[in-house]
Amino acid sequence: MKKVFALFCAIILIFSLSFSSFAISLPEPTNVFFVNDFVNIIDEDDEAEIMKIGADLYEQTTAQIVVVTIDSLDGYDVDEYALELGREWGVGNEDNDNGIVILLSLSDREISIQVGYGLEGCLNDGKIGRILDDYAIPYLTVDDFSTGLIEAYKAVAYVVCEEYDVELNPEYEIDLSLIHISEPTRRY
């Protein structure tokens, strides 16, 4: 019984250290909120378009998609960092838990899209992986960070609009051929 209790205490200690180890100083969100380009890799036109899409999406759905670029994760896991940013900044509507953080760490060459529970049904890990593979990675691998981020942003926004049954402004050009909104299911 003592061994079980000791193991339980060790597990609790490890979890508490992992949560409290996020004692790093997270950046504060910028005034524009939807774009937090701390390493200046998003060009002005793409930043303006992200702002328009983000504001339009928020107005129609209360969902928020926030893009963050940082220089380094300082040894932290990219997914945990993005998740912690979303929590700390209060991304999305608290009641609906519909916030999304797209985080790119430049020097680590890592990207993550973290989704609040309220949108995990439409933006599951598989769909996020496809969005990253089809919309972001082709541009990021050739250091076209701005295009990779805005294309991923638009794809995520499109899926969120589908979930809420609203439409984005048609002026936002999105290559829909790559988005697999509904996957066929076969029931026997």
Side-chain angles (χ1 to χ4, degrees):
M1 186 65 164
K2 288 181 182 180
K3 287 182 181 180
V4 173
F5 181 74
L7 180 61
F8 178 76
C9 289
I11 291 171
I12 296 296
L13 179 64
I14 289 170
F15 278 114
S16 67
L17 288 176
S18 68
F19 288 115
S20 66
S21 68
F22 231 104
I24 63 168
S25 173
L26 294 173
E28 292 294 320
T30 64
N31 296 358
V32 292
F33 192 68
F34 296 111
V35 180
N36 298 270
D37 185 15
F38 297 112
V39 289
N40 298 317
I41 57 174
I42 302 174
D43 70 45
E44 288 181 22
D45 290 339
D46 289 343
E47 186 172 320
E49 188 167 6
I50 289 170
M51 287 297 304
K52 287 179 191 173
I53 294 169
D56 186 24
L57 184 71
Y58 177 69
E59 185 176 298
Q60 292 188 65
T61 67
T62 72
Q64 292 177 325
I65 307 170
V66 174
V67 174
V68 183
T69 67
I70 58 173
D71 181 51
S72 173
L73 295 164
D74 294 324
Y76 291 93
D77 177 75
V78 67
D79 295 330
E80 301 231 355
Y81 195 104
L83 192 59
E84 191 63 28
L85 271 177
R87 288 180 183 145
E88 182 75 23
W89 291 1
V91 178
N93 177 283
E94 187 175 352
D95 293 333
N96 298 329
D97 198 7
N98 57 356
I100 301 167
V101 174
I102 302 173
L103 172 69
L104 181 132
S105 174
L106 187 61
S107 65
D108 299 301
R109 299 193 67 85
E110 291 193 60
I111 187 167
S112 176
I113 300 176
Q114 291 300 306
V115 179
Y117 289 122
L119 291 172
E120 281 187 342
C122 68
L123 282 165
N124 58 40
D125 291 343
K127 178 119 352 139
I128 292 296
R130 283 194 306 277
I131 287 171
L132 288 172
D133 289 346
D134 294 343
Y135 290 91
I137 303 299
Y139 297 103
L140 300 180
T141 56
V142 295
D143 293 345
D144 186 357
F145 305 110
S146 190
T147 303
L149 288 169
I150 192 167
E151 291 302 317
Y153 192 95
K154 290 190 292 188
V156 169
Y158 178 81
V159 174
V160 172
C161 284
E162 286 287 309
E163 177 70 10
Y164 283 93
D165 197 25
V166 298
E167 291 186 21
L168 279 177
N169 188 324
E171 75 181 47
Y172 313 128
E173 295 180 26
I174 301 173
D175 180 5
L176 300 178
S177 67
L178 299 176
I179 298 178
H180 311 288
I181 297 303
S182 59
E183 298 173 355
T185 58
R186 299 180 192 262
R187 295 180 187 230
Y188 294 99

